[in-house]
Amino acid sequence: MFSRITGIGSFLPGPPVSNDDLASRGIDTSDEWIVSRTGIKSRHLAANGESASDLALEASRRALLAAGLDAADLDLIIVATSTPDFIFPSTACLLQGKLGNRGATAFDIQAVCSGFVYGLTVAEKFIRSGSHRRALVVGAEVFSRILDWSDRGTCVLFGDGAGAVVLEASDKPGILATALHADGAHHGILSVPGSICGGKVTGDPFLRMDGQAVFKFAVRVLAEVADECCRAAGIAPSEIDWLIPHQANVRILEATAKRVKMPMDKVVVTVDRHGNTSAASVPLALDEAVRDGRIKAGQKIMLEGVGGGFTWGAVLLEL
């Protein structure tokens, strides 16, 4: 038994927020400063009261429509998020209720920016085992809720959004290879080092990052895991038609492409318009490239994620 993606959908909340918009809100930054360092020109920010499950719902409806399925057809729902609606229940269960599905397995995955790749890999294992046949895998984030808006080194980098895919059992291979890794020794270079105790926040509730350390680590492991996936599938990296890495920074995308010897015109880039949407970034980029016709049936696509933990992984697939 194999698994294939049969539907993709995405959702971005509200109008684009430009770099100039951020500067006009009192943030000590400029369009030139942000673009020159990150390539980011705009991002989308969720409205007050708009949660990760709300964004996930819109992306999921579009993915189900593309797959020609109803929510009742699903027997597995996985949501990758670092910004859940509640401590519990899971965002996946909240999404399940909003979709009107009853009885499917539903749970969250927390692997930060690698979350969607982790979720897709886990769903593929469920389907290959024969226990489940139709899975909804979602990456949904409202990172604007955990940003320190006085820290211009981090707050300008992130945005909110959601992307979803429907993965179904198939006699024809779709997911060709997967690889997941983590190394908790590097947790200190990217984290939100806070928690709730006794009804109060303890520690620091905002995202903190050592940008240079993250850059070096991300480029190295993204290149390594892409090569690992290609070896597992028995193909050369040159046979990859499209590379869709986690959308964190244009410089990271360029450095990763160079390491895997991939021309930038074969790398899907959305970070310039979306910012870093963490677990949502890979499915957002995949959906855009499929809908605009760049990605075609039968092509080989490498999805990659790297995020706090540190976690990283890749999925090689054909649509």
Side-chain angles (χ1 to χ4, degrees), residues 76-80 115-116 119-120 123 135-139 163-167 283:
L76 175 62
I77 299 171
I78 300 175
V79 174
F116 179 78
L120 191 58
L136 176 68
V137 183
V138 188
V165 302
V166 174
L167 191 68

Side-chain angles (χ1 to χ4, degrees), residues 82-83 142-149 192 205-208:
S82 300
T83 51
V142 283
F143 255 54
S144 57
R145 307 287 160 75
I146 58 172
L147 299 178
D148 179 353
W149 290 97
V192 179
F206 296 120
L207 183 149
R208 304 301 180 191

